Amino acid sequence: MAKVSVGLRGWRFEESEIFNDEGEFKPLDEIPEDARQRLVRLITLVEEPCDACYLTFGDDEIQRCKQAKIVYGEPGHEALLCTDHEPDFLYWFREADGRELVGDDVFADAFHEWFASGERAPDGYAGVEHVETDPENMPTPPDAAEIQRRLEENFEGERINIRDYGPQDDDGTPLTDEDLEDVDLGTDYPTK
């Protein structure tokens, strides 16, 4: 089987990992974790504007932003691009050291900063030639509600101790109940 993009170009999936023998999406619990994480994330990304357009026009003129067609980066730290701005991203990635940030949480932020500072690809810089073979015969990915229903269907949950993730004292030891006695959780504390 081949690699395919679903919803947006960029992230590629092994067909056999996400589709069953009938060509329909497999149940989520049968899809490997990395592919499942990307598919679930795509549901929220497919309707989003291009990041570069958004940086150009902002909220005030968001209607001028083109819809994203391409995604690069890791889930949660991805850059969304329209076809017009893909060459800018590729230039940043190839020529302005973006490649060094692959897998880093600041990957998309670094591209955004580069673009927002006025940097662009030179005129005529080549993008990637995407090959679309029979996109009409790809099954439609489930919507966000269906994904949530499937995720919860066989979910048994996992108990975690929130104190393991909470405040710690100077030597890295989690705080105990005694350390937090004076904290009134019902009080509205000022924010910065």
Side-chain angles (χ1 to χ4, degrees), residues 18-38:
I18 63 171
F19 298 121
N20 62 24
D21 293 336
E22 292 78 41
E24 296 297 320
F25 281 96
K26 289 180 174 181
L28 286 172
D29 59 348
E30 294 178 20
I31 297 174
E33 185 176 349
D34 182 62
R36 180 177 57 239
Q37 184 181 24
R38 289 174 188 271

Side-chain angles (χ1 to χ4, degrees), residues 3-179:
K3 289 204 173 240
V4 295
S5 292
V6 177
L8 297 172
R9 294 187 308 256
W11 287 347
R12 296 171 45 92
F13 302 90
E14 196 65 52
E15 277 187 89
S16 61
E17 290 184 347
I18 63 171
F19 298 121
N20 62 24
D21 293 336
E22 292 78 41
E24 296 297 320
F25 281 96
K26 289 180 174 181
L28 286 172
D29 59 348
E30 294 178 20
I31 297 174
E33 185 176 349
D34 182 62
R36 180 177 57 239
Q37 184 181 24
R38 289 174 188 271
L39 279 173
V40 170
R41 181 72 177 140
L42 276 171
I43 299 303
T44 62
L45 299 177
V46 294
E47 300 294 324
E48 292 296 316
C50 165
D51 291 348
C53 287
Y54 184 79
L55 289 168
T56 302
F57 301 116
D59 277 332
D60 293 340
E61 296 184 80
I62 198 163
Q63 71 281 0
R64 295 182 62 190
C65 296
K66 293 182 179 175
Q67 186 174 345
K69 299 288 183 196
I70 306 134
V71 59
Y72 289 113
E74 297 301 316
H77 308 287
E78 63 277 316
L80 298 173
L81 304 154
C82 65
T83 54
D84 292 346
H85 288 115
E86 184 181 30
D88 294 318
F89 175 84
L90 293 173
Y91 181 83
W92 168 79
F93 184 80
R94 295 172 181 159
E95 313 293 336
D97 300 327
R99 177 175 277 132
E100 294 176 12
L101 298 172
V102 169
D104 196 311
D105 291 351
V106 300
F107 181 77
D109 291 338
F111 168 70
H112 297 156
E113 288 173 14
W114 178 85
F115 188 88
S117 70
E119 299 289 340
R120 301 291 185 275
D123 287 341
Y125 189 81
V128 173
E129 187 174 325
H130 297 277
V131 178
E132 291 190 18
T133 56
D134 208 11
E136 287 78 33
N137 278 338
M138 293 289 289
T140 303
D143 65 13
E146 176 62 13
I147 291 281
Q148 187 66 33
R149 186 193 65 72
R150 289 182 188 184
L151 285 171
E152 293 174 357
E153 194 170 74
N154 296 318
F155 182 71
E156 294 179 17
E158 177 184 343
R159 293 199 52 83
I160 62 168
N161 185 348
I162 198 155
R163 287 191 175 99
D164 293 343
Y165 302 97
Q168 300 176 345
D169 63 17
D170 293 337
D171 67 359
T173 305
L175 297 177
T176 64
D177 287 339
E178 293 81 40
D179 295 323

